[in-house]
Amino acid sequence: MSLCPCLSGKQYDACCGPLISGALAAPTAEALMRSRYSAFVKRETGYLANSVHPEHRADYDPVAVQHWADHSEWVKLEILNTSGGGPDDQEGTVEFLATYRQKGTTHVHHEVGQFLRHDGRWYYTDMKITKPVTVRNDAPKIGRNDACPCGSGRKYKKCCG
């Protein structure tokens, strides 16, 4: 037995495994999101296709999804926020980070996934990619002839510059 790739701390057979196999339906939008991540890890692309809402499957690209699953080393899933998506809700969102490696480079996929309950089952409907925030350095620029900020007493150009 192994731990579930979704990092819930549970065994795979007691977490995402029964959802991916079709033995159980996801009780919440977050559970569906976790199982979709685990399906990427396990390369269960049939489950990924079936967990997309029937009205949204026209936009689903099975070749691209298979390529992404096959050519990525999935590192971790972090759930940042959920809104709705509970056992009694009809809609929900799950904001998450999925970290993966491709060709030696680590990437972080930051998404707000949207989910809808249809005929008693949760489905993935759409997503919004969250773009990284640009960080501005508003501190004054250090000149070449200024004292080095490391505290050595030397000029920046002769020390750390």
Side-chain angles (χ1 to χ4, degrees):
M1 300 210 35
S2 61
L3 289 177
C4 193
C6 78
L7 301 178
S8 65
K10 300 176 186 174
Q11 295 294 316
Y12 177 71
D13 292 338
C15 190
C16 294
L19 306 181
I20 293 171
S21 72
L24 293 175
T28 65
E30 181 179 336
L32 182 63
M33 180 61 248
R34 288 181 175 281
S35 68
R36 286 179 54 81
Y37 174 82
S38 293
F40 270 103
V41 174
K42 301 278 189 179
R43 294 173 174 78
E44 295 282 353
T45 56
Y47 176 76
L48 292 168
N50 292 333
S51 62
V52 173
H53 191 280
E55 294 176 7
H56 294 263
R57 290 183 184 160
D59 295 334
Y60 183 79
D61 184 350
V63 174
V65 171
Q66 184 73 50
H67 186 270
W68 195 19
D70 288 345
H71 293 90
S72 299
E73 176 191 346
W74 299 92
V75 178
K76 69 180 174 177
L77 173 68
E78 296 174 70
I79 303 294
L80 302 178
N81 188 31
T82 60
S83 176
D88 299 323
D89 294 321
Q90 295 300 310
E91 297 179 352
T93 61
V94 180
E95 181 179 5
F96 65 93
L97 300 173
T99 304
Y100 63 98
R101 286 189 199 98
Q102 284 182 333
K103 298 180 181 177
T105 302
T106 300
H107 303 274
V108 178
H109 176 81
H110 187 177
E111 175 182 323
V112 177
Q114 299 173 341
F115 299 85
L116 183 66
R117 187 189 300 270
H118 176 73
D119 291 336
R121 296 182 71 91
W122 281 105
Y123 289 95
Y124 179 77
T125 60
D126 204 358
M127 65 158 169
K128 293 179 184 172
I129 299 294
T130 304
K131 295 181 181 178
V133 178
T134 302
V135 177
R136 291 185 61 124
N137 183 358
D138 291 333
K141 187 174 179 180
I142 300 169
R144 291 174 37 84
N145 290 316
D146 291 340
C148 189
C150 76
S152 67
R154 299 172 57 197
K155 288 185 178 181
Y156 179 67
K157 67 181 177 185
K158 295 285 187 179
C159 190
C160 294

